């Protein structure tokens, strides 16, 4: 069996893994091996922002998971995309760049994740971003992730902001700054017209570092454990089983579905569950529990006359736009047609924002068109209310002891009655915005739901029929203290030496935002903790 030796092994070159690979190889004396199950991120559709539409439609570069039938969503299974490519989910995501509400991080710290309050993580948020308006008290100006304002000129956006204000929602000039909630202009991890993924920002600059080895299409199948500590990883590569050993530590950054999966396959997880698959129990920990995500539903309307994005989807313009974006990083293919977010309170008496609106200017059936060949689709727009701070919890469980069998994912979405109530309120707030007089110049007929819901029962039925996850799984290797936690505030797996988990799975409570920025921050802080011990 082929073997290699490093100081540190990082498994998973996703959002967190790329940050770690960068930060940990600044010290030329530290030898790091980065293993990634997917391939390179060379497809132009990854780097051109508008290419994400195609990545989504064809489910490219991802693991192809789905949930078990969801009891509160009419027994439907939900698609759970997550990246399988260098850059991980940051290479296929929608690039929204949001930190969320500070109170959530403060609760992490209060509940046992010492050192993770918002004041304590703020320096790391600042360290990972190059905000186009430059550094200030809240923002970073010279980090690795390029962050810019949504570059849209569609007049519908001004109407959307006006609608929010008219309904009494606050406006925020920068939701990643001093005021974290309200209606505001979107921010995206895009730099010079190209996706600023974790791979682009953090991994690419390391190509000349001789102390980093990146192996792609390397599928980790087991953590090698000896006398209660992690000593390496067994992985499949080129059709062969190989072993890599680490002198200092092994770091799992496989994401919130695959990190718990690999831990359980290796004997670290709920004892009874592991025994039912004849897996020897090394540590009895609540791995895979506490799964959280955001669910959202859409309200869509037709638009009176086509907007700028519709025009740019004419076949000849698409081809030209893609070439221009790829070569020069300019033009319409570098602009996301859904540039706005709002973090709002479903009712004025709610303590923290509990609903996010995502505003998009494309109808579900949007596609390339050309006169005489394919008729243009009718333009539309929509608002997607997403439930933040949900109380429902799910789990990731083994399907079998075979690493090739994908785990079972139970979301249990909307299982808490309070979640359904607040999601319904969020739907009503989104409806008010869409139907408001500020939107009159743009709004034609309703597309979805088919007809306006007449009462709460009809709203609930619509939400159960259509809600989907917006792909922020987290929480399955909970950080904290006490028996409900899997990792310590230093992200070390409880009871096992030389093993950390650093990715979205460690969030004790899911952030009230899209998750990429928080996960980059988590990895930057983890690298700092590892450096300070080594130094
Ligand atoms: C379609 C989509 C849209 C999204 N939109 C947004 C958005 O607009 N804004 C936002 O902030 N967030 C968004 N997210 C969420 C965000 O991108 C993720 O939460 C974040 O990137 C996850 O980071 P991670 O490091 O935890 O895991 P990932 O980035 O998923 O990385 C895990 C890596 O580990 C690798 N891996 C897994 N198993 C193995 C194994 N056994 N062996 C070797 N390698 C392995 C994977 O291939 C992957 O590369 C979106 C996610 C998706 C999927």
């Amino acid at each position: 069996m082929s073997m290699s030796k490093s100081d540190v092994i990082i498994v998973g070159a996703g959002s967190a893994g790329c940050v770690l690979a960068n930060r940990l190889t600044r010290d030329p004396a530290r030898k790091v091996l980065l293993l990634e199950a997917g391939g390179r991120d060379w497809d132009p559709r990854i780097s051109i922002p508008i290419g994400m539409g195609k990545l989504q439609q064809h489910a490219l570069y991802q693991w192809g998971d789905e949930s078990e039938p969801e009891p509160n969503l009419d027994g439907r299974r939900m698609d759970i995309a997550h990246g399988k490519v260098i850059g991980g989910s940051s290479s296929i995501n929608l690039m929204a760049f949001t930190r969320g509400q500070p109170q959530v991080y403060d609760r992490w710290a209060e509940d046992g994740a010492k050192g993770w309050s918002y004041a304590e993580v703020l320096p790391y948020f600042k360290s990972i971003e190059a905000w186009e308006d430059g550094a200030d008290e809240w923002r970073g100006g010279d980090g690795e992730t390029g962050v810019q304002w949504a570059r849209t000129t569609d007049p519908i956006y001004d109407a959307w902001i006006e609608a929010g204000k008219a309904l009494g929602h606050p406006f925020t000039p920068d939701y990643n700054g001093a005021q974290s909630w309200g209606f505001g202009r979107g921010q995206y991890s895009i730099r010079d017209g190209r996706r600023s993924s974790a791979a682009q920002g953090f991994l690419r600059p390391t190509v000349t570092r001789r102390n980093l080895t990146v192996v792609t299409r390397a599928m980790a199948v087991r953590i090698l454990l000896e006398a209660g500590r992690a000593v390496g990883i067994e992985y499949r590569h080129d059709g062969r089983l190989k072993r890599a050993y680490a002198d200092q530590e092994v770091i799992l950054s496989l994401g919130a579905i695959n990190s718990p999966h690999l831990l359980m396959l290796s004997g670290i997880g709920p004892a009874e569950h592991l025994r039912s698959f004849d897996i020897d129990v090394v540590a009895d920990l609540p791995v895979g529990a506490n799964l959280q995500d955001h669910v959202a539903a859409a309200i869509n309307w037709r638009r009176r006359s086509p907007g700028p994005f519709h025009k740019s989807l004419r076949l000849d313009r698409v081809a030209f736009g893609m070439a221009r974006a790829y070569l020069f990083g300019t033009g319409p293919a570098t602009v996301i047609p859904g540039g706005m977010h709002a973090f709002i309170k479903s009712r004025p008496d709610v303590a923290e924002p509990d609903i996010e609106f995502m505003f998009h200017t494309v109808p579900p059936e949007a596609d390339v068109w050309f006169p005489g060949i394919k008729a243009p689709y009718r333009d539309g727009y929509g608002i997607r209310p997403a439930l933040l701070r949900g109380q429902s919890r799910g789990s990731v469980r083994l399907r079998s002891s075979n690493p090739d069998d994908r785990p079972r994912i139970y979301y249990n979405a909307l299982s808490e009655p309070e979640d359904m109530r607040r999601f319904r309120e969020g739907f009503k707030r989104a409806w008010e915005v869409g139907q408001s007089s500020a939107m009159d110049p743009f709004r034609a007929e309703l597309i979805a739901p088919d007809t306006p819901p007449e009462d709460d029962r009809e709203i609930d039925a619509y939400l159960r029929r259509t809600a989907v996850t917006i792909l922020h799984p987290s929480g399955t290797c909970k950080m904290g203290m006490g028996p409900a936690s899997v990792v310590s505030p230093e992200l070390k797996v409880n009871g096992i030496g030389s093993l950390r988990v650093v990715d979205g799975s460690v969030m004790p409570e899911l952030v009230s935002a899209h998750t990429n920025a928080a996960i980059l921050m988590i990895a930057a802080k983890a690298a700092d903790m590892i450096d300070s011990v080594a130094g």
Side-chain angles (χ1 to χ4, degrees):
M1 185 179 285
S2 145
M3 289 188 207
S4 69
K5 205 155 176 78
S6 326
D7 295 315
V8 174
I9 299 174
I10 303 164
V11 191
S15 297
C18 290
V19 176
L20 290 167
N22 178 310
R23 299 284 167 96
L24 295 181
T25 54
R26 282 175 178 173
D27 173 359
R30 185 188 282 129
K31 205 173 152 205
V32 174
L33 172 67
L34 176 62
L35 299 174
E36 166 55 45
R40 297 277 167 188
D41 60 338
W42 291 335
D43 187 329
R45 289 171 293 187
I46 291 178
S47 62
I48 301 172
I50 209 65
M52 57 91 185
K54 286 289 166 206
L55 298 177
Q56 307 284 303
Q57 279 166 19
H58 300 296
L60 292 168
Y61 306 113
Q62 54 115 339
W63 289 82
D65 284 332
E66 58 177 14
S67 73
E68 295 300 301
E70 283 288 308
N72 302 297
L73 301 180
D74 294 348
R76 288 183 295 121
R77 292 177 189 269
M78 292 191 288
D79 287 336
I80 307 167
H82 53 117
K84 187 179 185 183
V85 60
I86 286 282
S89 302
S90 78
S91 289
I92 62 165
N93 72 12
L94 299 185
M95 293 163 278
F97 199 81
T98 59
R99 293 178 188 171
Q101 305 309 314
Q103 296 96 317
V104 175
Y105 302 92
D106 291 343
R107 272 197 298 278
W108 290 9
E110 281 157 24
D111 295 346
K114 197 166 169 288
W116 293 84
S117 68
Y118 193 66
E120 289 163 301
V121 301
L122 183 58
Y124 298 98
F125 269 122
K126 291 168 77 171
S127 80
I128 49 113
E129 70 173 6
W131 170 228
E132 70 169 337
D133 281 359
D136 63 21
E137 188 189 346
W138 300 97
R139 307 300 305 260
D142 55 7
E144 292 88 345
T145 308
V147 184
Q148 67 174 42
W149 291 112
R151 299 259 192 277
T152 177
T153 52
D154 193 331
I156 198 171
Y157 292 114
D158 297 329
W160 144 267
I161 300 268
E162 282 316 309
K165 285 183 186 165
L167 287 160
H169 299 293
F171 173 79
T172 169
D174 174 6
Y175 51 57
N176 290 320
Q179 161 129 6
S180 55
W181 68 287
F183 273 60
R185 201 168 189 85
Q187 299 180 22
Y188 286 86
S189 45
I190 297 176
R191 184 184 348 224
D192 298 332
R194 298 188 180 88
R195 175 191 292 272
S196 189
S197 67
Q200 287 297 314
F202 291 89
L203 208 51
R204 182 159 285 199
T206 64
V207 285
T208 53
R209 294 187 194 165
R210 300 171 65 110
N211 55 334
L212 175 65
T213 306
V214 182
V215 185
T216 54
R217 306 204 184 282
M219 165 86 177
V221 294
R222 193 162 63 97
I223 305 162
L224 299 170
L225 296 156
E226 274 175 20
R229 63 179 286 268
V231 294
I233 288 287
E234 191 165 272
Y235 65 102
R236 228 179 11 242
H237 184 239
D238 277 345
R240 284 188 300 144
L241 213 49
K242 301 183 180 178
R243 284 183 176 179
Y245 288 91
D247 273 343
Q248 289 166 13
E249 64 178 283
V250 172
I251 307 177
L252 305 186
S253 297
L254 296 79
I257 306 295
N258 286 14
S259 281
H261 189 213
L262 188 65
L263 283 167
M264 288 191 282
L265 289 170
S266 310
I268 301 169
E272 229 173 278
H273 178 62
L274 301 190
R275 284 194 199 104
S276 70
F277 293 100
D278 290 329
I279 294 173
D280 290 338
V281 180
V282 182
D284 181 9
L285 291 173
V287 171
N290 193 43
L291 173 63
Q292 299 165 60
D293 205 336
H294 296 134
V295 288
I299 312 177
N300 292 314
W301 291 266
R302 293 266 173 240
R303 190 168 170 159
R304 281 172 189 253
S305 55
F309 182 69
H310 182 275
K311 292 177 186 135
S312 69
L313 270 192
R314 206 178 75 183
L315 182 62
D316 51 334
R317 292 181 187 142
V318 170
F320 178 70
M322 293 289 276
R324 185 176 161 197
Y326 189 63
L327 294 173
F328 308 111
T330 57
T334 65
V335 177
I336 304 288
M340 298 292 152
H341 302 106
F343 300 93
I344 64 131
K345 295 181 179 179
S346 60
R347 290 171 185 238
D349 59 346
V350 170
E352 277 169 51
D354 55 351
I355 294 292
E356 177 181 347
F357 293 154
M358 291 162 282
F359 184 58
H360 54 90
T361 55
V362 268
E365 70 278 18
D367 204 356
V368 173
W369 55 275
F370 196 75
I373 296 177
K374 188 169 179 210
Y377 62 90
R378 272 196 70 197
D379 207 3
Y381 65 91
I383 304 174
R384 297 171 73 198
L387 176 68
L388 307 174
R389 298 177 49 221
Q391 312 283 307
S392 307
R393 299 288 182 264
S395 59
V396 174
R397 291 285 167 249
L398 292 172
R399 187 177 301 275
S400 79
S401 57
N402 179 350
D404 291 325
D405 285 346
R406 299 300 301 149
R408 290 188 192 277
I409 305 166
Y410 301 90
Y411 261 92
N412 237 351
L414 303 179
S415 54
E416 292 292 332
E418 176 64 7
D419 285 359
M420 193 67 219
R421 194 188 65 72
R422 289 191 300 110
F423 196 24
R424 183 195 309 134
E425 289 300 313
F427 178 94
K428 290 179 185 172
R429 300 295 86 78
W431 178 262
E432 287 162 6
V433 173
Q435 293 291 126
S436 69
S437 56
M439 302 300 288
D440 284 352
F442 300 95
R443 189 179 56 249
E445 71 272 20
L446 186 66
I447 312 175
D450 301 342
T451 52
E454 293 202 337
D455 53 25
D456 287 359
R457 204 184 41 83
E458 285 193 18
I459 296 176
D460 290 3
Y462 178 70
L463 296 176
R464 291 188 199 287
R465 201 166 61 241
T466 61
V468 293
T469 142
I470 53 171
L471 306 169
H472 300 157
S474 55
T476 48
C477 299
K478 181 180 175 187
M479 156 172 62
M481 308 289 279
S485 65
V486 173
V487 298
S488 68
E490 291 76 39
L491 308 183
K492 293 179 177 168
V493 175
N494 293 331
I496 303 284
S498 313
L499 183 63
R500 278 183 224 246
V501 181
V502 180
D503 58 26
S505 68
V506 303
M507 291 185 193
E509 176 188 336
L510 174 55
V511 294
S512 287
H514 303 256
T515 34
N516 191 41
I519 293 169
L520 300 175
M521 173 281 288
I522 289 170
K525 184 163 160 62
D528 211 22
M529 291 190 290
I530 294 167
D531 269 345
S532 61
V533 172

